[in-house]
Amino acid sequence: MTDRRKFLKTSALASAALLVNACSNDKPKANTKVNKPIVLSTWRFGIEANQAAWAILSKNGKALDAVEAGVMVPEGDPKERSVGYGGRPDRDGRITLDACIMDELSNIGSVAGLEFIKHPISVARAVMEKTPHVMLVGDGALQFALSQGFKKENLMVEESEKEWKEWLKDSEYKPIANIENHDTIGMIALDSHGNLSGACTTSGMAFKMHGRVGDSPIIGAGLYVDNEVGAATATGHGEEVIRIAGCHLVVELMRQGKTPQQACEEAVARVVKLMDLRKKDLKDIQVGFIALNKNGETGSYCVQSGFNYAVYDASGNRLIDAGYHIKV
Ligand code: ASP
């Protein structure tokens, strides 16, 4: 080998090594321009939710406060029929809510099967901040909420009651993907201090069995945050998200050097593979992920077309259609 060829070969190897290093480094480079603050949330109601979050983020507020305030918007809106007040009931006619929250120090709090409380995300935050535990369910969650001063309210709206009575006629449980018989708000944010937090809240699948818990209140499934790496949240058929520990997977893929987009695509590929293995029809389910890394870069992907999400950063607040595995 001539000296010149040897030199070329060595410098090619050196650049490859540099590239590998660049990919495996969790932390943003000192000279990388970080896009912060930024907030992302699932579905079209994310637009309004982002506005509430942005009011905090744009004043140098904390990502944790922003995600809580953000998801409280659809939670409190009776016209949003898949989250909080106005959410659809289970097959026994009970509205049972699931929510979780995670901050930059990996503090976590979660409630599942919580009834009569309009803002389960704030109860999840109280679990995180005021108990030695991370998750409370059912009546225990309700008793705790009441002890913290949350008000017991009737969350059933007329439309939900009508739909439930209609559903009882056939009692067939067949959630249709992308139709609002589900639709969780998951929100992840990076604040101006460079810290990440996330929140996720839902009434779950309409007409689910009483006691059914989806991915949304499960840290690692419906939400995950690692302040060194990034954050992810999910929506769709929770059973499929739990099966792959979805949001933890997305964050771990980012840790390995994947972009948020690549990480979301790989997690969806995992869902698809397990559906194929079990000979299930992909058209029957939806799973969507959104992700954010420490540089403020974003990604999203879903099983079937129809999932969108809202992003708010210095360029404004907009709704974006996620890429998908199959078109329906
Ligand atoms: N993931 C939620 C659940 O399984 C529902 C949804 O996001 O569509 O309860």
Side-chain angles (χ1 to χ4, degrees):
M1 205 184 283
T2 67
D3 278 348
R4 187 177 143 71
R5 278 175 65 203
K6 223 192 262 168
F7 167 75
L8 285 177
K9 200 173 165 195
T10 344
S11 38
L13 280 175
S15 333
L18 271 178
L19 263 181
V20 170
N21 266 337
C23 290
S24 61
N25 191 348
D26 295 343
K27 307 227 168 78
K29 309 284 147 323
N31 58 358
T32 305
K33 171 111 181 61
V34 177
N35 182 25
K36 63 181 184 181
I38 179 170
V39 58
L40 271 70
S41 55
T42 53
W43 303 107
R44 53 151 187 79
F45 45 40
I47 287 283
E48 283 189 339
N50 280 0
Q51 267 158 14
W54 189 255
I56 292 171
L57 291 172
S58 60
K59 293 193 192 95
N60 296 325
K62 287 185 66 178
L64 178 67
D65 296 327
V67 295
E68 182 189 11
V71 303
M72 283 174 78
V73 174
E75 272 187 348
D77 184 347
K79 293 188 297 308
E80 296 302 353
R81 310 281 315 292
S82 52
V83 180
Y85 176 39
R88 291 181 178 80
D90 64 21
R91 58 190 62 177
D92 296 352
R94 295 165 72 162
I95 297 168
T96 59
L97 305 174
D98 297 339
C100 73
I101 194 158
M102 185 162 191
D103 75 6
E104 77 278 7
L105 297 173
S106 292
N107 289 309
I108 52 176
S110 160
V111 288
L114 174 65
E115 293 180 83
F116 308 117
I117 304 289
K118 204 185 255 180
H119 292 296
I121 197 64
S122 301
V123 185
R125 183 165 178 176
V127 170
M128 174 171 100
E129 291 176 341
K130 300 193 175 146
T131 79
H133 308 303
V134 298
M135 188 167 194
L136 293 177
V137 304
D139 192 52
L142 175 61
Q143 293 316 319
F144 168 70
L146 297 176
S147 78
Q148 295 298 306
F150 289 88
K151 217 169 75 208
K152 191 169 176 176
E153 292 175 79
N154 174 23
L155 304 181
M156 183 77 97
V157 297
E158 218 179 287
E159 293 83 347
S160 292
E161 189 152 15
K162 242 202 263 161
E163 277 178 35
W164 170 58
K165 288 191 171 141
E166 196 54 38
W167 181 84
L168 282 175
K169 290 181 186 157
D170 296 331
S171 301
E172 196 196 351
Y173 182 69
K174 207 168 185 310
I176 306 165
N178 294 334
I179 307 291
E180 288 174 12
N181 49 13
H182 52 98
D183 289 8
T184 296
I185 182 144
M187 177 178 273
I188 46 182
L190 177 67
D191 63 27
S192 59
H193 315 283
N195 286 323
L196 291 159
S197 289
C200 188
T201 176
T202 190
S203 52
M205 307 304 279
F207 318 127
K208 60 193 176 185
M209 290 173 69
H210 182 65
R212 178 264 188 190
V213 176
D215 60 315
S216 306
I218 299 180
I219 296 292
L223 177 73
Y224 200 68
V225 176
D226 183 320
N227 207 42
E228 286 192 345
V229 180
T233 189
T235 181
H237 290 67
E239 286 73 8
E240 302 313 317
V241 180
I242 293 172
R243 205 179 308 283
I244 63 158
C247 289
H248 185 257
L249 174 64
V250 171
V251 171
E252 287 308 301
L253 288 167
M254 291 194 283
R255 189 195 305 282
Q256 290 165 22
K258 301 259 194 281
T259 64
Q261 184 59 33
Q262 290 166 337
C264 290
E265 289 180 18
E266 191 163 330
V268 166
R270 199 76 67 87
V271 170
V272 169
K273 189 170 146 195
L274 297 186
M275 287 290 285
D276 287 349
L277 185 72
R278 288 155 43 244
K279 302 200 176 358
K280 303 274 187 196
D281 192 345
L282 273 186
K283 292 205 187 72
D284 291 340
I285 65 140
Q286 175 64 297
V287 168
F289 292 105
I290 58 175
L292 174 65
N293 68 11
K294 282 290 276 185
N295 291 333
E297 294 157 341
T298 66
S300 66
Y301 207 62
C302 61
V303 168
Q304 52 171 288
S305 51
F307 167 52
N308 50 23
Y309 64 106
V311 179
Y312 203 155
D313 61 9
S315 314
N317 195 9
R318 63 257 183 214
L319 196 64
I320 299 174
D321 287 327
Y324 47 80
H325 179 76
I326 54 167
K327 178 148 183 68
V328 290

